[in-house]
């Protein structure tokens, strides 16, 4: 079975050499725009490509505003600040996520609470979220208070795992009942839709990543999107060291961050955005190849849930158990086909081992079985 997959991967990607998990691809105006940027000398945090990249992402997602940042973690950090999260507050998220989600919460001095994922989406379970809030919180003076810790629960951060959208409308509905703000970790889901609406547009803000292994890349980079005019203005201000515009004076009106995306990175992003529809179509075709290959195999290929249009950023399969997962990982990597397990659950890491959790049976089940398989764009 493993050799069949290895042979299929080599045929699909057309190489007998090492097959990476997700390599960046540059086949458009990347070099042209980089040269323009260098010739202009505006390679840092000011330049036309930053503005254009923000405009392009806003237009593509349907958001009213987009604010470029140095990376996806920075975008999420700012998004949490925009949601009013402060030191000693609590933020609910899922344990099955990349570490950046929890790092952004910790940067503020807030505390993570881990609620289980949905078996269908691999994202935060709205049902389990509501169960936790009903049984563990109370509303006092408009704030959602954790009965155990007496702290405010200010935000919920669902993550659209591998580009599969969560049941985000249900999550928002639950949070509205408890006066909690939704901040979407959409880092992996550029080009993913839920009920016809792009991910990142259901909560107050959504945060994307453009790391080298994402659907499109700026080398590093992130983006915050929102439809709220005031939030957008404040986010732009706080990501550019809160500098008050002036021809020569250095006046800053608050503690802020140097999170502005450099123009040279944005130049890459502009070129990548021009080819995003083609990239997404290509990834959808690869997913169909995997669906066809695995349909008669004793391995479950993860597909988009109902009401979603995934970007298939990272293709994923479910193995029978932990032993089978480890054997698959060992055999494929030994033969030069890069595969990776899903992340370790956040609550098992030393930094978060004392965090409050709900029942995490689904997350634990996925942790023992999910493997990502090669997902690069094939031209």
């Amino acid at each position: 079975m493993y050799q069949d997959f290895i042979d299929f991967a080599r045929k699909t990607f057309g190489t007998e050499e090492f097959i990476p998990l997700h390599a960046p691809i540059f086949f458009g105006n990347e070099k042209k725009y980089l040269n323009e940027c260098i010739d202009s000398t505006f390679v840092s945090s000011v330049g036309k490509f930053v503005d254009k990249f923000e405009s392009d992402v806003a237009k593509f997602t349907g958001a009213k505003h987009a604010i470029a940042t140095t990376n996806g973690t920075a975008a999420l950090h700012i998004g949490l600040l925009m949601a009013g999260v402060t030191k000693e507050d609590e933020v609910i998220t899922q344990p099955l996520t990349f570490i950046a989600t929890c790092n952004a919460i910790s940067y503020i001095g807030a505390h993570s609470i881990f609620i289980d994922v949905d078996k269908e989406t691999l994202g935060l379970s709205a049902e389990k979220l509501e169960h936790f809030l009903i049984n563990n919180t109370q509303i006092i003076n408009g704030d959602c208070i954790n009965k155990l810790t007496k702290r405010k629960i200010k935000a919920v951060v669902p993550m659209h795992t591998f580009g599969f959208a969560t049941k985000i409308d249900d999550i928002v509905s639950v949070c509205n009942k408890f006066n909690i703000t939704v901040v979407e970790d959409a880092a992996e889901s550029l080009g993913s839709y839920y009920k016809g609406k792009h991910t990142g547009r259901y909560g107050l803000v959504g945060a994307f990543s453009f790391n080298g292994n994402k659907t499109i890349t700026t080398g590093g980079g992130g983006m915050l999107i929102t439809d709220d005019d005031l939030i957008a203005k404040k986010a732009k201000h706080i990501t550019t060291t809160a500098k008050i515009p002036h021809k020569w004076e250095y006046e800053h009106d608050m503690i802020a961050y140097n999170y502005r995306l450099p123009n040279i990175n944005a130049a890459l992003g502009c070129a990548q955005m021009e080819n995003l529809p083609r990239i997404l179509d290509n990834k959808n075709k690869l997913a169909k190849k995997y669906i066809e290959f695995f349909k008669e195999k004793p391995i479950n290929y993860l597909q988009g849930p109902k009401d979603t249009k995934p970007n298939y950023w990272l293709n994923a399969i479910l193995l029978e158990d932990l032993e089978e997962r480890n054997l698959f990982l060992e055999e494929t990597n030994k033969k030069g086909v890069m595969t990776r397990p899903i992340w370790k659950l956040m609550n098992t890491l030393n930094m978060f081992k004392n965090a409050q959790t709900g029942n995490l049976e689904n997350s634990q089940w996925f942790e023992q079985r999910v493997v990502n398989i090669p997902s690069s764009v094939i031209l």
Side-chain angles (χ1 to χ4, degrees), residues 79-86 89 154 181 204:
L80 288 164
L81 292 174
M82 296 303 98
V85 178
T86 59
D89 286 339
K154 294 295 286 290
T181 303
L204 176 68

Side-chain angles (χ1 to χ4, degrees), residues 113-367:
I113 297 174
F114 297 110
I115 300 300
D116 205 7
V117 298
D118 184 86
K119 203 70 175 284
E120 186 182 3
T121 68
L122 279 80
L124 186 68
S125 166
E127 182 180 349
K128 292 192 174 186
L129 172 64
E130 185 167 34
H131 181 269
F132 176 86
L133 292 172
I134 289 172
N135 290 282
N136 294 278
T137 70
Q138 56 186 335
I139 302 296
I140 301 177
N141 296 325
D143 293 316
C144 183
I145 305 298
N146 187 329
K147 292 178 183 178
L148 176 65
T149 64
K150 311 304 179 187
R151 293 190 285 245
K152 296 177 184 178
I153 299 177
K154 294 295 286 290
V156 166
V157 182
M159 201 271 280
H160 301 291
T161 310
F162 305 144
F164 295 129
T166 65
K167 296 175 183 177
I168 187 64
D169 56 348
D170 290 340
I171 291 171
V172 170
S173 179
V174 169
C175 289
N176 286 341
K177 296 176 187 176
F178 291 86
N179 298 336
I180 300 173
T181 303
V182 174
V183 175
E184 289 180 68
D185 185 343
E188 303 171 354
S189 64
L190 184 68
S192 297
Y193 296 81
Y194 181 70
K195 295 184 176 179
K197 188 175 178 179
H198 202 287
T199 56
R201 293 196 55 226
Y202 284 83
L204 176 68
V205 293
F208 294 93
S209 169
F210 305 113
N211 188 36
N213 68 347
K214 293 300 190 292
T215 304
I216 66 165
T217 185
T218 57
M223 191 76 74
L224 196 70
I225 63 169
T226 184
D227 289 336
D228 189 299
D229 295 343
L230 292 178
I231 291 292
K233 184 177 180 180
K234 186 175 181 181
K236 177 85 72 147
H237 188 57
I238 203 173
T239 56
T240 52
T241 67
K243 186 178 184 298
I244 298 173
H246 192 278
K247 288 184 177 180
W248 60 81
E249 292 288 0
Y250 290 95
E251 186 72 31
H252 306 261
D253 60 1
M254 63 188 296
I255 299 295
Y257 304 89
N258 188 12
Y259 278 175
R260 191 75 167 135
L261 182 71
N263 197 44
I264 198 164
N265 296 89
L268 270 180
C270 291
Q272 293 264 288
M273 284 298 295
E274 290 173 351
N275 282 310
L276 181 55
R278 183 180 173 187
I279 290 170
L280 292 171
D281 179 64
N282 191 292
K283 293 180 78 62
N284 188 61
K285 289 176 179 176
L286 176 60
K288 289 179 179 177
K289 288 178 183 287
Y290 276 135
I291 291 169
E292 183 66 23
F293 174 77
F294 284 113
K295 72 178 181 181
E296 295 182 2
K297 301 286 191 299
I299 295 176
N300 183 20
Y301 174 80
L302 294 175
Q303 299 183 48
K306 181 183 177 183
D307 294 326
T308 71
K309 181 182 177 183
N311 64 0
Y312 289 108
W313 167 57
L314 279 188
N315 292 280
I317 56 175
L318 275 173
L319 281 300
E320 186 176 345
D321 52 30
L322 183 61
E323 182 180 1
E324 192 73 28
R325 185 205 78 163
N326 289 343
L327 187 58
F328 184 90
L329 288 166
E330 183 178 345
E331 290 298 316
T332 51
N333 282 284
K334 186 167 64 178
K335 296 291 182 64
V337 177
M338 188 175 181
T339 58
R340 287 292 182 267
I342 204 167
W343 317 279
K344 290 182 179 293
L345 299 188
M346 294 297 102
N347 62 295
T348 67
L349 301 181
N350 189 57
M351 306 85 75
F352 307 113
K353 63 183 180 182
N354 296 320
Q356 187 175 2
T357 70
N359 180 308
L360 303 180
E361 59 185 355
N362 291 342
S363 299
Q364 292 162 350
W365 190 86
F366 280 125
E367 183 188 30

